[in-house]
Amino acid sequence: DTAVSQTPKYLVTQMGNDKSIKCEQNLGHDTMYWYKQDSKKFLKIMFSYNNKELIINETVPNRFSPKSPDKAHLNLHINSLELGDSAVYFCASSLKQGGMNTEAFFGQGTRLTVV
Amino acid sequence: KQEVTQIPAALSVPEGENLVLNCSFTDSAIYNLQWFRQDPGKGLTSLLLIQSSQREQTSGRLNASLDKSSGRSTLYIAASQPGDSATYLCAVSPLYNFNKFYFGSGTKLNVKP
């Protein structure tokens, strides 16, 4: 049983295209996240949603738009893809906002390559 | 802004050795600290979560300690095995924004048979 699943696992696309990455968690968690891991392996938070409400929006170009149709899903849509968007994107979730329940569980990542 | 540093960047040890991975952070106002392992091409697996009020957490051969005042955490791995080979990441969440994790760049561990 996959706890946090992302699709697709690999995505190769041309500059200028629009693409989406989907994320689903079956853990019953309230909070979901998108992180970006660059070529130097640094993980940086992009967005966080709690019960479908946006609570963290880091300095991310507005070409990136998260959408949470329900608390089990957090999708990431990227418009007008650029070469610099190439990275591994990780979805994560945690039960609640506080206490031990902030332990984060990650998906397997989506490797996006923009050519 | 919180900065997280992990030393060493890479470590190679023979099987059976006990080892320590280090993590330091610049702002001691943290909510918690979490250690993860990342296997090549895979996602992150949570290993241990330490609340700011705790000094250590243990799981099997793993022991993580936290010294909040000095901005340090260590991950101790006892009797290392080749299956422990992976990149180990530590992440801290700020006291004022505990939904955000700041990650270190990781320590790549290779345990030789």
Side-chain angles (χ1 to χ4, degrees):
Chain A
D1 289 343
T2 304
V4 182
S5 60
Q6 301 176 223
T7 54
K9 188 173 181 181
Y10 300 97
L11 183 56
V12 181
T13 188
Q14 290 186 325
M15 283 176 54
N17 283 350
D18 302 338
K19 290 293 178 186
S20 291
I21 306 172
K22 295 185 177 181
C23 179
E24 176 182 5
Q25 53 93 4
N26 62 6
L27 298 167
H29 287 174
D30 288 340
T31 308
M32 295 185 72
Y33 313 80
W34 277 108
Y35 280 83
K36 178 181 180 181
Q37 188 173 40
D38 60 25
S39 57
K40 295 182 179 179
K41 303 299 182 186
F42 268 105
L43 269 153
K44 292 184 181 178
I45 191 165
M46 300 173 68
F47 302 103
S48 177
Y49 270 72
N50 186 66
N51 268 321
K52 303 193 297 176
E53 182 180 342
L54 180 67
I55 55 173
I56 293 176
N57 184 350
E58 287 295 281
T59 309
V60 177
N62 57 16
R63 297 181 295 105
F64 290 78
S65 55
K67 285 187 172 53
S68 182
D70 54 63
K71 72 175 191 177
H73 295 84
L74 180 61
N75 304 322
L76 183 65
H77 188 75
I78 314 170
N79 289 327
S80 303
L81 278 155
E82 300 177 357
L83 293 177
D85 296 333
S86 296
V88 181
Y89 292 84
F90 285 98
C91 177
S93 71
S94 61
L95 180 57
K96 288 188 183 297
Q97 292 192 55
M100 288 297 290
N101 297 313
T102 54
E103 183 177 8
F105 296 83
F106 280 72
Q108 82 280 15
T110 295
R111 183 174 293 277
L112 171 65
T113 304
V114 182
V115 297
Chain B
K1 182 186 172 185
Q2 180 74 268
E3 291 186 6
V4 182
T5 304
Q6 291 186 246
I7 295 173
L11 182 63
S12 184
V13 300
E15 182 177 5
E17 273 204 7
N18 302 324
L19 56 100
V20 174
L21 307 181
N22 296 295
C23 173
S24 60
F25 45 95
T26 54
D27 186 349
S28 62
I30 67 168
Y31 191 77
N32 60 35
L33 182 146
Q34 193 166 355
W35 281 93
F36 297 87
R37 72 174 276 168
Q38 183 176 23
D39 294 281
K42 300 281 182 66
L44 279 68
T45 302
S46 176
L47 297 173
L48 290 162
L49 173 74
I50 309 178
Q51 294 290 84
S52 61
S53 58
Q54 297 175 320
R55 299 285 295 195
E56 66 177 345
Q57 282 283 349
T58 298
S59 176
R61 295 181 293 108
L62 305 179
N63 176 278
S65 68
L66 174 64
D67 185 344
K68 196 174 58 168
S69 60
S70 66
R72 292 179 188 171
S73 175
T74 60
L75 180 67
Y76 175 82
I77 303 177
S80 59
Q81 303 170 357
D84 294 331
S85 298
T87 296
Y88 290 80
L89 296 159
C90 79
V92 296
S93 61
L95 187 63
Y96 50 85
N97 195 347
F98 43 69
N99 279 293
K100 181 191 295 189
F101 277 105
Y102 289 94
F103 279 84
S105 56
T107 294
K108 188 173 183 179
L109 173 65
N110 178 34
V111 181
K112 298 173 288 187

